[in-house]
Amino acid sequence: KGEVALLTQVSAWYIYCSVKAMEWCPRKDLLSKTDEVGLDNFVSDMMTVVARLERFCAPDGRAGIRGCVVGTTSWQDPPPGR
């Protein structure tokens, strides 16, 4: 059994769809949502991912030696005008 590491991110469309409301957004369900609702959706989706990976990434899980990283670029501290 080889050692496994996992790197993934949850960030697909939250900024572009709920915050910026870009017309090309593929997540039409997010377009009409406020920033606050978009953030709530993001947190919910992120927590779903974290919960599903919990056993896999645990110290005694498949990625227990190398570990897991779950990141995002959806909510950060962007410069003004972004």
Side-chain angles (χ1 to χ4, degrees):
K1 217 176 189 185
E3 294 178 3
V4 174
L6 176 77
L7 170 61
T8 189
Q9 73 173 359
V10 176
S11 64
W13 304 109
Y14 303 96
I15 280 285
Y16 298 109
C17 298
S18 70
V19 176
K20 295 242 181 226
M22 305 300 278
E23 63 184 51
W24 48 261
C25 168
R27 294 266 319 256
K28 302 302 182 201
D29 61 307
L30 294 174
L31 277 173
S32 62
K33 305 218 172 155
T34 64
D35 294 1
E36 195 170 284
V37 173
L39 178 58
D40 289 344
N41 285 148
F42 165 75
V43 169
S44 175
D45 291 350
M46 177 66 90
M47 295 312 294
T48 299
V49 169
V50 169
R52 299 236 9 217
L53 291 174
E54 189 171 3
R55 181 176 162 96
F56 184 80
C57 299
D60 62 343
R62 183 74 177 90
I65 294 172
R66 296 285 179 186
C68 297
V69 174
V70 179
T72 185
T73 58
S74 283
W75 264 271
Q76 51 186 305
D77 191 13
R82 176 174 161 206

